[in-house]
Amino acid sequence: MITVSAIPAFADNYIWALHDKRSAVIVDPGDAAPVLAFLRTHHLTLAAILITHHHADHAGGVAGLLADTPVPVWGPAFESIAGVSNPVSEPATITLPALGLNMTVLDVPGHTAGHIAYYSAPWLFCGDTLFACGCGRLFEGTPEQMLHSLQKLAQLPGDTAVYCAHEYTLSNIAFAQNAEPNNEILRRRAIEAAKHRQQGLPTVPSRLDLEWATNPFLRCHEPDIGQAVAVHSGTLPTDAVAVFAALRQWKNHF
Ligand code: ZN
Ligand code: FE
């Protein structure tokens, strides 16, 4: 029986631990200390590390974990990250014998040029690409690349549990409501998410079918969103990429 646990780090990061009663695979350890504390508390042995992209809040804890327990480290083939022993890109499958688990690697460039995601039904670990009701900033990729990456993730089954790496949900929802004020499912999501946060609970993982229904960055084809973008930017976007680019730009200054 495999469980996924959140290990909060920094102001709003989630480091994810996939584990049974003995072994843990850690996704995006930006910091070693909270991971080592988690492993100790739950009497778990570190079995492997998975990295989605090179940013320090995702990979900064690798050296500290390896100093404690040398384990294989998977990471994006097209980024250089200290400590990565197994560089991978799509269509690689990785094997995690400690958990009896295989995971599929997906190339999802946009936030960074080599960003990858890890998928094993029903779990998706997507780093800073797809967020709950939002998406990552375009630091190294083009809007076209990011939209394509999001569309790739959106093709997974609706019951996919979306484990993104940050608790950005409330501010993402606030923006989404500006982009799509008449979305009733989004209105209900805002209430639910606020309740969760008031109780100190994570809003992550999200479910992919909820993202389909409420995440504006997966809904660039919706006339209402095209309309809102046109009003905000003062120009009529000509296609989904233009809608996405204008929406991302709008969110950057929201
Ligand atoms: Zn990042
Ligand atoms: Fe991040």
Side-chain angles (χ1 to χ4, degrees):
M1 169 77 175
I2 298 173
T3 308
V4 185
S5 299
I7 305 171
F10 309 118
D12 51 35
N13 279 74
Y14 292 126
I15 298 167
W16 297 109
L18 268 150
H19 60 94
D20 57 14
K21 288 200 151 64
R22 291 161 176 267
S23 309
V25 171
I26 301 294
V27 184
D28 279 354
D31 191 3
V35 176
L36 293 171
F38 175 88
L39 296 172
R40 223 174 291 124
T41 304
H42 298 276
H43 311 290
L44 295 167
T45 305
L46 181 66
I49 298 170
L50 310 182
I51 305 291
T52 62
H53 67 292
H54 67 82
H55 288 159
D57 63 315
H58 300 254
V62 170
L65 292 178
L66 292 180
D68 190 80
T69 318
V71 294
V73 182
W74 278 269
F78 304 113
E79 296 186 355
S80 115
I81 301 169
V84 169
S85 54
N86 303 10
V88 281
S89 64
E90 192 174 323
T93 298
I94 69 172
T95 303
L96 304 166
L99 296 179
L101 195 67
N102 289 335
M103 301 197 90
T104 304
V105 175
L106 299 167
D107 285 337
V108 286
H111 176 70
T112 62
H115 199 304
I116 58 175
Y118 300 89
Y119 174 66
S120 180
W123 309 297
L124 171 68
F125 298 93
C126 51
D128 289 354
T129 299
L130 175 62
F131 286 129
C133 215
C135 76
R137 284 176 187 264
L138 305 185
F139 287 121
E140 299 173 10
T142 64
E144 194 167 7
Q145 278 180 320
M146 186 61 148
L147 181 60
H148 185 252
S149 295
L150 292 171
Q151 286 170 342
K152 185 188 286 185
L153 296 179
Q155 281 165 23
L156 294 171
D159 65 354
T160 299
V162 179
Y163 289 89
C164 56
H166 289 271
E167 179 63 60
Y168 288 158
T169 314
L170 290 189
S171 62
N172 284 344
I173 289 174
F175 173 73
Q177 288 189 295
N178 275 262
E180 204 179 9
N182 299 319
N183 184 329
E184 176 58 22
I185 304 173
L186 179 59
R187 197 188 61 81
R188 289 202 298 266
R189 183 177 194 181
I191 295 166
E192 276 306 303
K195 234 184 265 173
H196 267 72
R197 297 307 293 147
Q198 275 157 18
Q199 294 165 9
L201 299 171
T203 61
V204 185
S206 159
R207 256 178 71 120
L208 192 56
D209 50 9
L210 182 60
E211 297 308 318
W212 293 340
T214 57
N215 188 326
F217 297 98
L218 298 185
R219 296 169 63 75
C220 292
H221 55 279
E222 288 292 324
D224 277 10
I225 291 187
Q227 187 67 33
V229 161
V231 168
H232 181 263
S233 68
T235 51
L236 204 60
T238 48
D239 58 10
V241 173
V243 172
F244 176 80
L247 200 58
R248 187 57 259 185
Q249 193 69 23
W250 181 5
K251 174 70 166 70
N252 289 347
H253 305 287
F254 181 73

